[in-house]
Amino acid sequence: MKMTKKILFGAAALCAAVLFSGCNWSLTSALQKSIGTDIFKYNDATYDSGVGTWTVADETNETTGYIRGGKLLLTKHSDIAGLVKINNGYADGEAVGNLGLLFNVSQNKSDETADNYKTWNFCVIGVQALTASNVRYYVSYFANIAEADMGKVNFGAWTGDEKTGSAITKTEFDADTLTPYEIELQTWTTINNLAEDGTFSIVFDVDENEDGSYTVQPYKANTVSNHVFTANEASKIGTTKTISATTLGKSGAAQAYVGAYGMIKAGQTLDGSIEVLDLTKQAILLAE
């Protein structure tokens, strides 16, 4: 079983809100931050090897565009594993939306005069019901994304109109660019026969390696029991994706924020949840 390691740095003042040293702990509102549309509700339960569940309960998007949002856990971590569930995720001949995980999340704060000051950099995993029986998922990195653009097409990493413009993409981290861009880490990857009537569950396990690279691996939901994730070779599905540190502009392992992500298409209703199962090498550090 993947063990949860918890390393505490100067957290005495937080002990009233968070329990450590092998005990369960619950996430309080002080340790959360919403980005984009606030579509998530937190189930404030305490689990031995995780922080609980974010839910999207029959949330309807009544706009003409799509809405998307995230929930960040404002402590820094190296790894994250999450169980993603979508109920009735295929309607009117299309996916109703995506759910997934955020990892390697950081905020640019180095220069208050820079165009990207306090913008976000993050990796996102999004999964959806491709058909009534098949699902698909992708992994991307986005840089220099303003909070006001979190709900826009491609998080604002787009030139011109959505229908006539093009996505702003790069192949690796660009320290000299302050405008938004995307690095496509893994294109849409299909997993056949995972869903039934558009309903499915899938686990994503994200591990940071010593050199700062990440490994992303999807698993069947049978790897989870009583809120504990146990890696099982036979339950691996999809492909194993290794993301190099160079691609993300990292020189070595570095803790970052993690969280939940969701998107709902226009006129659709999304129902599902993201249960965070495992957080390792944890250091308490509240964001400003």
Side-chain angles (χ1 to χ4, degrees):
M1 186 178 81
K2 182 178 175 185
M3 300 301 292
T4 300
K5 301 176 183 176
K6 299 180 178 179
I7 304 173
L8 181 60
F9 294 123
L14 296 173
C15 289
V18 184
L19 301 177
F20 295 93
S21 301
C23 298
N24 294 348
W25 63 288
S26 64
L27 184 64
T28 68
S29 59
L31 298 176
Q32 299 177 62
K33 177 178 177 59
S34 295
I35 50 178
T37 305
D38 192 3
I39 62 176
F40 290 100
K41 305 301 179 186
Y42 182 72
N43 175 22
D44 193 20
T46 55
Y47 301 146
D48 284 334
S49 54
V51 300
T53 303
W54 283 273
T55 61
V56 180
D58 288 322
E59 183 79 22
T60 299
N61 175 11
E62 298 178 352
T63 71
T64 58
Y66 56 74
I67 60 175
R68 56 162 35 123
K71 207 75 161 178
L72 295 182
L73 171 61
L74 293 185
T75 56
K76 291 189 175 183
H77 303 83
S78 297
D79 307 340
I80 182 173
L83 174 64
V84 180
K85 298 181 178 180
I86 293 182
N87 303 312
N88 303 314
Y90 188 74
D92 304 321
E94 66 174 4
V96 301
N98 304 342
L99 283 177
L101 299 176
L102 295 168
F103 66 97
N104 189 44
V105 185
S106 63
Q107 194 172 33
N108 300 304
K109 296 183 180 180
S110 59
D111 186 353
E112 192 169 352
T113 65
D115 292 340
N116 70 336
Y117 181 64
K118 286 194 174 181
T119 58
W120 293 95
N121 312 313
F122 54 88
C123 293
V124 60
I125 303 171
V127 60
Q128 63 178 215
L130 176 61
T131 66
S133 59
N134 303 331
V135 306
R136 66 175 184 171
Y137 69 96
Y138 74 95
V139 186
S140 277
Y141 173 79
F142 289 88
N144 304 321
I145 305 301
E147 287 195 27
D149 292 337
M150 290 299 294
K152 293 184 179 180
V153 174
N154 230 44
F155 296 105
W158 199 274
T159 59
D161 181 76
E162 172 187 352
K163 296 180 180 179
T164 60
S166 59
I168 304 171
T169 60
K170 294 181 179 291
T171 57
E172 64 179 45
F173 181 81
D174 186 348
D176 296 325
T177 297
L178 303 183
T179 55
Y181 65 87
E182 175 190 7
I183 301 173
E184 191 176 71
L185 302 172
Q186 181 168 324
T187 59
W188 284 109
T189 299
T190 300
I191 303 174
N192 295 320
N193 303 314
L194 186 66
E196 183 174 348
D197 295 328
T199 296
F200 66 91
S201 297
I202 186 172
V203 173
F204 288 98
D205 183 37
V206 180
D207 292 310
E208 185 184 41
N209 304 306
E210 291 184 0
D211 65 352
S213 64
Y214 283 98
T215 301
V216 179
Q217 175 64 57
Y219 289 85
K220 296 178 183 178
N222 64 7
T223 53
V224 177
S225 178
N226 295 323
H227 316 300
V228 175
F229 165 68
T230 304
N232 183 338
E233 190 71 24
S235 293
K236 286 184 177 181
I237 51 179
T239 58
T240 302
K241 177 64 182 180
T242 299
I243 305 164
S244 73
T246 301
T247 299
L248 301 177
K250 298 170 63 180
S251 58
Q255 294 174 337
Y257 305 126
V258 295
Y261 163 72
M263 181 273 280
I264 311 174
K265 292 185 177 180
Q268 298 289 358
T269 298
L270 179 63
D271 181 82
S273 63
I274 300 169
E275 181 180 351
V276 178
L277 302 165
D278 203 2
L279 296 169
T280 62
K281 304 170 190 172
Q282 172 187 310
I284 293 301
L285 178 59
L286 293 180
E288 294 178 0

